[in-house]
Amino acid sequence: MSMLNRMLRRDLWHLRGQVIAAALVVACGIGTLVATRSTYHSLVVAQADYYSTYRFADVFAHLKRAPESLAADIGQIPGVAAVHTRVVMDVSLDVPGLAEPATGRLVSVPGIQTPMLNDLYLLRGRYVDATRTDEVLASEAFANANRLAVGAHIGAVLNGRWKQLTVVGIALSPEYVYEVGNGMLFPDNKRFGVLWMNRAALAPAFSMEGAFNDVSLSLGAGAEEAEVIARLDRLLERYGGLSACGRAEQLSHRFLADELGEIRIMTTFIPSLFLGVAAFLLYVVLSRLVAMQRSEIGLLKAFGYGNYRIGSHYLAFAVVTSMLGLALGLPLGLYLGSLLVNVYAGYFHFPHLVLIASPGLLLFATLASLLAAGIGALSAVRRAVALPPAEAMRPEPPARFHAGLLEHAGLMKKLPASVRMIVRGLARKPVKVLLSVLGIALAVGLMVVGRFTLDAVNHMMFVQFNVMQHDDVTVLYNEPRNAGATFEIRRLPGVMRAEPFRLVPVWLRHENFSKRVEITGLAPDMELRRLVDKKLRPVELPPEGLLLGTKLARILGVVPGDSVSMAVLEGSRPTLNVPVAGVVDEMLGLGAYMDTRALARLLHEDRSVSGAYVQLDARREDDAYAQLKRMPAVAGVAVRGAMQQSIRDAMDRSFTLSTGILTAFACVIVVGMVYNSVRIALSERGNELASLRVLGFTRREVTMILLGEQGVLTALAIPLGLLIGYGLCALLVPVFDREMFRLPLVVGKWTFLYPAVTALLAAVLSGLLVARHLRHLDLIAVLKTRE
């Protein structure tokens, strides 16, 4: 074994505490990188395979009713490769074991199973029988949430008639990878599900024989999607078409694409932070190792070792540390990736979703760890090879001392000797102090980032369900009805208050920007649904004009005072110019609101209603649910408490796991940074501390000098780290700026407290370990150095 290899082995063993801490930080970075990238790759592969194999459509359109003969005209549109017409209806369901009503989306399928667009993957059971009118296939998520096995029975209201449906199979469709209904942001699989039914049985129930109300298209190579959609809209306009959309706007695909976009950003952002801290930690360890080994470097050069071999020696120190981290990080990342894939399997329903860790990813992780080691070691290596032998063999010259503010003010004389030594020790090495403070601060900041998403989601939930929404149930009608429908709701048992609302599908356009949304008409005196600003103060509806959510206003490029073109997609379909009266901050959806009276005047309606917000007496809610299940006019019922629990369950599955991983990794980094700072200080100041012991200082005084310095560094690092963490959270907010929801920049007091307490505990534990080393210092051996 060569001299340099023996020296490397000695250094690794002597600094094993710092090496292990740095390797753990590298492991956290590599684990995060492998987990996020493998999860992303697994989802992308599952999506592409599913879409291709089961023929996910490219264009979608819903309408009132059109004759089946129109399908031939649609097929003649240039660029259209295949056309699939269907009957799709939302109905109210009575699910066994579920007190409140559920909403079922009935989708027609051919009586005989044949390949089609948005084809079905049959998981269990069999396909529907063409001769039976009561058989359905249930979506897997809906069946699992309600424990529906093959053979289960579900009650449904089909166009005002009660019908018992039998589940004969459990299926999946690429159209419902993310299974939500209209207006839903998070899946509630217990109360919303998709049921596929023989078209010959479904169409007569809704007077749709020889007709369709939903169409999907696939496009040929080179087709212009926008042109196809424009031509399709012109064909469907006279049949009540609600404006076609491309795959990018299809609800399930849009949620999946948004999630994949976030994961793709996170695969770069979070691992880069961890590996950046690891590189910084390696730089600190190696730069101080070089400083302590000045004489050894001088001797090596004097005996003929060149700059390349000496530089390689210190680079090898970083590489070994990095490889230790890689050995821990790779299996950890694969394990965490499998956990994340299982979490996403609860959201996104694929026939096959397994963790895929390609050799390329493992190679990339290896290169990333080596790059972090190289960056961390580069500066230290340059310092090592730049030292001339004669200069290196001399001890490092002492720092120049000059009186500071405390000396000039005469305050230093009033302080104990140990405190003066602490102050002067910090003042004479400002660069090292700054690096130590910055390293701990970065670790504390990462811990703040780890808990940020939970704070933001909890705040979003509080605002939505405790400030804005005060109803117990939202009832949605199958079509706009007259104001008398609200009185029917008010007569239900247990109803304490019912407030109607109006939903109008429209295209809003301003200059070159456009967006399809629903205008929500609200009464100014409503109590069950309120609009609030950023400070949670009530926002009054303007008597005229639109009140837009901030996100929608940004998409359209409008400010209060501008006008937008509002193309209504129902009734006589007028196109109106409407002023933007105001903008309100919202965290969920793309809100657009109007006073119901102003909306009725614009549409020349007599106060039509689309649904009602309902407040129930908890003692009689089951009676109200029982009647709502059988009301022909009701297309869907959203229960506030159930929706809140569903969102919380969804958040617990995703954000809690990812937050827990980030917080745990950040905690490791905090401990590693603090421990390294203390151990390096001990290595650097061993001679000084031993000298103080010889001069008569007690072991306690010497310990307090060293740990006092580290306490000051930690105290300075904590507030700086909290500030850095808040800044990193602000950088993350745009990542979660979706159309469906936006995370607010909200960081709770506990999120600030946890990193601070962790850093303090790490400092205390590190101090105890170092104090034990100080008690066993060999004073004679430490003092055998040239001065």
Side-chain angles (χ1 to χ4, degrees):
M1 183 180 290
S2 70
M3 181 187 300
L4 287 179
N5 287 336
R6 289 198 297 272
M7 185 176 173
L8 175 62
R9 189 177 64 177
R10 183 200 64 191
D11 290 340
L12 289 170
W13 177 252
H14 179 65
L15 299 174
R16 57 189 179 277
Q18 293 96 305
V19 169
I20 292 172
L24 288 175
V25 175
V26 173
C28 291
I30 295 301
T32 308
L33 176 68
V34 171
T36 53
R37 282 190 176 267
S38 61
T39 300
Y40 173 75
H41 183 60
S42 302
L43 288 170
V44 169
V45 170
Q47 178 197 37
D49 181 64
Y50 193 22
Y51 282 7
S52 173
T53 305
Y54 291 89
R55 295 169 287 279
F56 185 41
D58 298 304
V59 175
F60 305 81
H62 195 71
L63 55 144
K64 289 290 185 181
R65 188 181 191 278
E68 188 62 32
S69 59
L70 189 65
D73 296 334
I74 296 173
Q76 295 301 313
I77 297 175
V80 173
V83 179
H84 179 58
T85 61
R86 304 178 296 183
V87 177
V88 178
M89 293 289 181
D90 284 356
V91 300
S92 186
L93 299 178
D94 183 7
V95 180
L98 187 64
E100 56 267 25
T103 300
R105 176 159 297 167
L106 294 178
V107 181
S108 69
V109 292
I112 299 176
Q113 189 172 11
T114 57
M116 62 180 181
L117 294 183
N118 307 317
D119 212 344
L120 301 183
Y121 175 80
L122 196 61
L123 286 164
R124 297 187 294 276
R126 61 171 175 83
Y127 195 72
V128 294
D129 189 335
T131 64
R132 299 292 299 271
T133 63
D134 63 341
E135 293 186 350
V136 295
L137 303 173
S139 60
E140 182 195 27
F142 182 64
N144 290 346
N146 290 287
R147 299 180 181 178
L148 298 175
V150 173
H153 298 285
I154 303 173
V157 179
L158 273 61
N159 202 20
R161 294 183 293 274
W162 181 259
K163 189 174 183 66
Q164 193 84 353
L165 303 175
T166 302
V167 177
V168 297
I170 309 299
L172 294 173
S173 168
E175 191 177 6
Y176 296 99
V177 171
Y178 188 79
E179 193 168 314
V180 292
N182 294 330
M184 296 174 65
L185 301 178
F186 297 92
D188 184 359
N189 299 130
K190 227 178 180 185
R191 297 162 190 86
F192 175 82
V194 183
L195 303 174
W196 292 274
M197 190 174 185
N198 181 8
R199 185 166 181 174
L202 180 59
F206 291 91
S207 303
M208 297 289 287
E209 300 97 325
F212 65 92
N213 70 344
D214 192 272
V215 61
S216 303
L217 314 178
S218 67
L219 304 182
E224 291 287 341
E225 182 184 276
E227 180 62 24
V228 172
I229 289 175
R231 287 173 177 260
L232 180 62
D233 282 341
R234 285 196 291 272
L235 279 177
L236 299 181
E237 184 174 0
R238 60 182 294 195
Y239 301 104
L242 294 179
S243 185
C245 68
R247 181 185 287 184
E249 294 296 320
Q250 198 266 347
L251 196 59
S252 168
H253 176 80
R254 184 168 61 177
F255 274 101
L256 177 56
D258 284 347
E259 190 67 34
L260 288 175
E262 286 179 12
I263 298 174
R264 186 174 63 249
I265 294 173
M266 298 298 282
T267 59
T268 302
F269 187 82
I270 298 298
S272 296
L273 289 177
F274 282 112
L275 291 174
V277 172
F280 179 80
L281 185 53
L282 285 170
Y283 161 72
V284 172
V285 173
L286 282 174
S287 61
R288 295 188 178 181
L289 179 62
V290 169
M292 289 188 296
Q293 292 186 347
R294 285 172 57 91
S295 58
E296 285 89 339
I297 293 172
L299 285 171
L300 288 171
K301 287 192 172 185
F303 278 100
Y305 284 87
N307 290 339
Y308 176 79
R309 295 189 64 185
I310 294 174
S312 299
H313 163 73
Y314 289 101
L315 184 61
F317 184 97
V319 169
V320 170
T321 304
S322 182
M323 288 297 100
L324 288 175
L326 184 68
L328 292 171
L330 285 179
L332 178 62
L334 294 174
Y335 172 71
L336 295 176
S338 65
L339 293 182
L340 289 173
V341 164
N342 288 335
V343 168
Y344 282 112
Y347 282 106
F348 304 117
H349 309 294
F350 296 101
H352 306 288
L353 178 59
V354 294
L355 183 69
I356 300 175
S358 65
L361 172 60
L362 302 182
L363 177 61
F364 179 78
T366 303
L367 294 176
S369 66
L370 292 176
L371 180 63
I375 293 174
L378 183 61
S379 180
V381 169
R382 290 177 62 185
R383 287 181 58 190
V385 300
L387 284 173
E391 180 182 344
M393 294 176 69
R394 291 197 301 265
E396 187 175 6
R400 293 185 179 181
F401 176 79
H402 58 85
L405 292 176
L406 294 178
E407 281 83 359
H408 288 304
L411 297 177
M412 289 292 285
K413 295 180 180 180
K414 300 178 181 180
L415 297 176
S418 57
V419 176
R420 291 201 299 272
M421 290 182 183
I422 292 173
V423 174
R424 288 170 178 166
L426 294 172
R428 71 180 182 177
K429 296 182 179 179
V431 175
K432 290 184 178 180
V433 169
L434 179 62
L435 291 177
S436 297
V437 170
L438 183 59
I440 299 172
L442 286 172
V444 170
L446 287 176
M447 201 166 178
V448 173
V449 172
R451 288 185 49 86
F452 156 66
T453 51
L454 280 183
D455 288 339
V457 168
N458 287 334
H459 178 76
M460 186 171 65
M461 294 275 291
F462 171 77
V463 172
Q464 184 66 28
F465 293 105
N466 295 83
V467 179
M468 296 178 62
Q469 194 172 338
H470 296 276
D471 60 306
D472 298 309
V473 174
T474 301
V475 178
L476 189 66
Y477 303 132
N478 48 27
E479 60 182 17
R481 303 179 67 82
N482 60 42
T486 307
F487 293 106
E488 296 180 27
I489 298 295
R490 288 173 179 157
R491 287 199 295 266
L492 292 175
V495 173
M496 301 168 61
R497 187 180 182 88
E499 297 176 346
F501 61 89
R502 179 76 167 99
L503 296 177
V504 181
V506 300
W507 270 102
L508 293 181
R509 294 184 174 90
H510 177 254
E511 296 178 348
N512 296 325
F513 306 102
S514 62
K515 195 66 186 176
R516 180 181 162 182
V517 296
E518 283 188 323
I519 304 293
T520 303
L522 303 174
D525 58 347
M526 292 185 76
E527 295 184 6
L528 300 183
R529 188 61 61 97
R530 298 172 183 170
L531 302 175
V532 296
D533 61 14
K534 275 186 176 180
K535 297 182 179 179
L536 306 186
R537 297 173 302 196
V539 174
E540 298 294 332
L541 273 172
E544 300 288 341
L546 284 167
L547 184 67
L548 301 181
T550 304
K551 179 69 175 180
L552 180 57
R554 286 205 306 267
I555 291 173
L556 296 174
V558 298
V559 295
D562 290 339
S563 291
V564 296
S565 172
M566 186 174 83
V568 180
L569 297 176
E570 66 176 31
S572 60
R573 296 175 168 279
T575 298
L576 310 163
N577 284 322
V578 184
V580 176
V583 174
V584 62
D585 281 298
E586 286 190 317
M587 289 170 278
L588 294 175
L590 297 176
Y593 305 93
M594 282 191 78
D595 187 310
T596 49
R597 295 166 298 187
L599 185 58
R601 286 194 297 270
L602 279 176
L603 302 179
H604 303 290
E605 292 181 344
D606 186 19
R607 304 292 292 275
S608 296
V609 297
S610 301
Y613 303 119
V614 181
Q615 190 176 49
L616 290 175
D617 183 346
R619 295 169 296 182
R620 303 199 63 190
E621 60 183 16
D622 287 347
D623 297 330
Y625 294 150
Q627 293 201 27
L628 282 170
K629 288 178 180 180
R630 294 178 177 263
M631 290 183 69
V634 175
V637 175
V639 180
R640 173 173 167 264
M643 184 167 31
Q644 189 174 5
Q645 186 59 47
S646 174
I647 295 174
R648 190 162 295 283
D649 290 343
M651 292 301 181
D652 285 346
R653 288 199 304 268
S654 60
F655 282 110
T656 301
L657 177 60
S658 58
T659 296
I661 293 172
L662 289 179
T663 304
F665 283 1
C667 184
V668 169
I669 293 176
V670 169
V671 174
M673 292 298 292
V674 173
Y675 176 75
N676 263 281
S677 180
V678 175
R679 285 303 307 269
I680 290 172
L682 175 61
S683 300
E684 288 181 334
R685 305 196 61 187
N687 289 353
E688 297 177 18
L689 297 175
S691 299
L692 292 175
R693 289 281 290 117
V694 171
L695 292 173
F697 280 74
T698 65
R699 184 180 293 113
R700 181 178 178 182
E701 288 173 326
V702 170
T703 303
M704 289 303 299
I705 290 172
L706 178 63
L707 299 187
E709 289 185 8
Q710 301 310 308
V712 172
L713 295 178
T714 305
L716 292 173
I718 288 174
L720 178 60
L722 299 180
L723 185 62
I724 290 173
Y726 189 82
L728 292 174
C729 293
L731 292 176
L732 273 178
V733 166
V735 175
F736 294 98
D737 190 3
R738 300 187 190 180
E739 288 188 4
M740 295 295 102
F741 74 90
R742 277 83 53 195
L743 288 187
L745 182 57
V746 175
V747 183
K749 60 182 180 181
W750 289 106
T751 296
F752 284 132
L753 184 61
Y754 282 137
V757 171
T758 301
L760 291 174
L761 287 176
V764 171
L765 292 175
S766 300
L768 293 175
L769 291 174
V770 170
R772 188 183 65 179
H773 283 285
L774 286 173
R775 286 197 298 270
H776 296 90
L777 275 179
D778 187 341
L779 302 184
I780 297 175
V782 170
L783 290 174
K784 285 182 179 179
T785 57
R786 284 184 306 121
E787 296 293 342

